[in-house]
Amino acid sequence: NAGVTQTPKFQVLKTGQSMTLQCAQDMNHNSMYWYRQDPGMGLRLIYYSASEGTTDKGEVPNGYNVSRLNKREFSLRLESAAPSQTSVYFCASRLKGTLAGVGTEAFFGQGTRLTVV
Amino acid sequence: SQKIEQNSEALNIQEGKTATLTCNYTNYSPAYLQWYRQDPGRGPVFLLLIRENEKEKRKERLKVTFDTTLKQSLFHITASQPADSATYLCATGGLGSGNTGKLIFGQGTTLQVKP
């Protein structure tokens, strides 16, 4: 099993350009997440999908859109990239995030290092 | 809003000592807390989960406590080794303030174990 796969691993964009970060998991997980990580800020939740067919905003959704394409895939789109979106982006998945009282562990991809110039 | 906070200052300790990391939460009553380890250039890796009705959980040299009165979780690494040097993150989600499957993280604390 590959686990959680993110593409690309590195990307440089010019301000105003658009791009889509791809994420796929092969663990039959229901919930998927997109985070960004900046120095000293920890992981901040951008968007998440608790189950196939649903998406919700996290802590820092502005400037991003997401698509839960199917159970395996969850993509993150930057419509008009800005230098403030320079960051490392992580995709994660877990079996089920809404099971009462049971917090299943999250599995993370290797990250996408995005630079906007 | 729901907040989960860790001491962002790095923790430096000597090999063999016990490292203790703190995670505090506010405006939230999590059903559980999770702890992850992150090495440079890698994604976080799950270590331990503790539920609200559990006071303590252990796994090898790791111990986690959960104090719902203090709204705090402590993460201990006993007999620390240089290989334990990494950033440790706590995370929470679940019932208490509208469970929607959300999973949020603290800022992480970087641990440096010196030989």
Side-chain angles (χ1 to χ4, degrees):
Chain A
N1 286 347
V4 179
T5 303
Q6 289 182 236
T7 54
K9 288 189 170 49
F10 301 94
Q11 184 72 49
V12 178
L13 287 179
K14 293 183 179 177
T15 298
Q17 285 186 318
S18 62
M19 81 160 293
T20 300
L21 280 64
Q22 307 285 354
C23 176
Q25 52 89 12
D26 62 1
M27 296 173 281
N28 201 33
H29 286 172
N30 295 292
S31 301
M32 297 186 73
Y33 304 81
W34 276 105
Y35 296 90
R36 60 176 290 173
Q37 187 169 39
D38 303 293
M41 302 290 288
L43 286 166
R44 290 187 291 169
L45 181 63
I46 305 172
Y47 271 93
Y48 66 104
S49 171
S51 60
E52 186 180 358
T54 69
T55 60
D56 284 288
K57 294 179 181 179
E59 302 164 284
V60 288
N62 291 346
Y64 305 94
N65 285 301
V66 290
S67 294
R68 183 74 184 264
L69 303 168
N70 47 55
K71 192 171 185 179
R72 289 187 66 247
E73 297 172 289
F74 189 38
S75 62
L76 178 71
R77 182 158 179 85
L78 287 70
E79 289 291 352
S80 179
S84 60
Q85 294 178 304
T86 293
S87 188
V88 180
Y89 291 84
F90 286 101
C91 176
S93 72
R94 58 178 180 164
L95 179 61
K96 194 170 176 65
T98 57
L99 193 59
V102 177
T104 54
E105 65 182 278
F107 293 81
F108 283 79
Q110 290 186 307
T112 296
R113 189 171 295 275
L114 175 68
T115 302
V116 183
V117 298
Chain B
S1 63
Q2 302 157 2
K3 287 188 76 173
I4 182 165
E5 294 179 320
Q6 298 179 253
N7 187 351
S8 57
E9 285 185 22
L11 178 64
N12 296 298
I13 64 168
Q14 209 65 34
E15 183 176 7
K17 300 291 186 184
T18 296
T20 299
L21 287 68
T22 304
C23 177
N24 296 295
Y25 57 91
T26 56
N27 300 324
Y28 198 47
S29 298
Y32 58 85
L33 285 165
Q34 299 178 335
W35 285 87
Y36 291 77
R37 169 183 173 140
Q38 186 176 25
D39 292 291
R42 310 289 293 267
V45 175
F46 174 82
L47 295 173
L48 278 170
L49 174 148
I50 185 165
R51 296 188 175 88
E52 61 179 340
N53 61 349
E54 297 174 320
K55 289 269 191 282
E56 182 180 297
K57 205 80 168 283
R58 290 176 185 262
K59 179 182 176 183
E60 297 172 351
R61 294 184 296 112
L62 308 180
K63 185 177 85 171
V64 174
T65 62
F66 194 172
D67 189 326
T68 54
T69 301
L70 293 178
K71 294 185 182 296
Q72 182 179 84
S73 174
L74 298 179
F75 177 81
H76 307 272
I77 305 176
T78 57
S80 60
Q81 304 165 359
D84 295 326
S85 298
T87 296
Y88 293 86
L89 300 128
C90 65
T92 184
L95 287 181
S97 187
N99 178 27
T100 59
K102 185 184 289 189
L103 185 65
I104 59 173
F105 283 79
Q107 310 96 304
T109 299
T110 298
L111 172 67
Q112 190 74 32
V113 181
K114 297 181 179 177

